[in-house]
Amino acid sequence: MPSSTVRAFVDPDEYFAGIRNLQIEGVVLQRGEFHAESTIIDLPRVLMCRFDENLPRIMKVTPSGRRAGILFATNPDQRAVLMNGAEISQGQIARAELHSEWYLRSSAPCEWGTMSLAPEDLAAAGETIIGRGLAPPNFAHGVTPSPVALSRLRKLHGAAGYLAKTAPDILAKPEVARAVDQALVEAMVFCLAHTGSAVVSNAQRHHARIMARLEAALTANPEEPLYMAELSAQIGVSYWTLRDCCLEYLGMSPKRYLWLRRMNLARRALRSANAEKTTVTEIASDYGFWELGRFSVAYRSLFGESPSMALRRPP
């Protein structure tokens, strides 16, 4: 049944967890009060989403494997985002892999949208509309549709998002939802019609494998602090090679990425702990922060509040 949901968020973890069809681990990169809004629309074939974020962040995205999707800037005047380290310009859309993880990084506030449908529906729509089936890529990348096709996709996507906010009861009517679904699928197929296949170099594939091994090591130790020497040994590459990959994909060194990860783990622990049974010192030391004064200053700088305030918040 057609449906739509519009939600506002002030907690980044709740926001990342609320993005449908994708498992996301996100890290906010700039101090400030986080604000985000999501609009999610379920149509007969299309799952359509619109997002508006006020702070730069990195998202590691694990797809469900059930839907073929694209993403693009809904505000053509904003700074470009980067997928797997490659800039997705305002005249492009990004094609996501069906099964492999990928990274999406912003350097400023951003507004972006997604569309996805089952792979068999995408293939059938391609056959019907342009005379050939369309398949999901085996490597996430940006493609450049015709300006006319991209402009139409943005307008239709924006109009559906406007209906979800202002008249969700109209969008929930089956015939309206069917008409919007048909128009969006057609626009998506026309955007993909003449983009061709991406040429992926051996270096790109090698870096993708290294990043996958990095995330596997982090996943195997989800609540533990990790350090460079042991991480490089687990991944099987030198620090310099890992550094080059992280700079490309994440825009930062692996040391900085691990530090941010530990800070976010400490934040989650502080905000879920019982203040009567634990202390900031205990939680900070659990995540490898032994210079408590520096930890407190860095925590306040990153999250805008002191560790003790975070601990006293209701879980």
Side-chain angles (χ1 to χ4, degrees), residues 137-201:
N138 57 15
F139 196 89
H141 64 279
V143 296
T144 306
S146 75
V148 172
L150 181 55
S151 175
R152 176 162 175 74
L153 176 66
R154 280 196 174 118
K155 287 178 181 178
L156 289 169
H157 204 273
Y162 180 77
L163 269 182
K165 287 185 176 183
T166 61
D169 53 328
I170 293 177
L171 190 58
K173 292 181 177 180
E175 280 307 311
V176 173
R178 184 167 174 265
V180 174
D181 182 85
Q182 292 282 348
L184 284 171
V185 170
E186 181 181 287
M188 179 177 174
V189 169
F190 280 132
C191 277
L192 299 176
H194 303 295
T195 54
S197 300
V199 177
V200 182
S201 69

Side-chain angles (χ1 to χ4, degrees), residues 209-211 213-218 221 225-246 253-255 258:
R209 287 192 292 268
I210 291 172
M211 293 303 294
R213 294 204 294 269
L214 167 63
E215 294 298 346
L218 297 179
N221 304 275
L226 294 174
Y227 302 94
M228 285 312 309
E230 60 191 25
L231 188 60
S232 294
Q234 284 188 45
I235 295 172
V237 298
S238 70
Y239 168 73
W240 293 111
T241 299
L242 183 57
R243 178 178 176 274
D244 288 344
C245 290
C246 286
S253 71
K255 285 186 178 180
L258 289 182

Side-chain angles (χ1 to χ4, degrees), residues 63-135:
S64 67
R66 297 190 298 270
R67 301 188 71 83
I70 61 171
L71 65 90
F72 53 92
T74 54
N75 177 0
D77 297 321
Q78 69 191 22
R79 289 189 200 173
V81 298
L82 290 94
M83 174 181 269
N84 288 352
E87 185 175 285
I88 306 299
S89 72
Q90 303 307 336
Q92 291 185 303
I93 59 176
R95 298 198 69 188
E97 297 174 70
L98 197 60
H99 299 291
S100 301
E101 296 170 343
W102 43 276
Y103 296 81
L104 191 66
R105 172 162 48 103
S106 65
S107 59
C110 66
E111 301 169 36
W112 56 291
T114 67
M115 275 181 57
S116 66
L117 59 164
E120 58 270 23
D121 287 339
L122 177 62
E127 290 285 0
T128 301
I129 297 168
I130 60 173
R132 60 181 173 87
L134 295 170

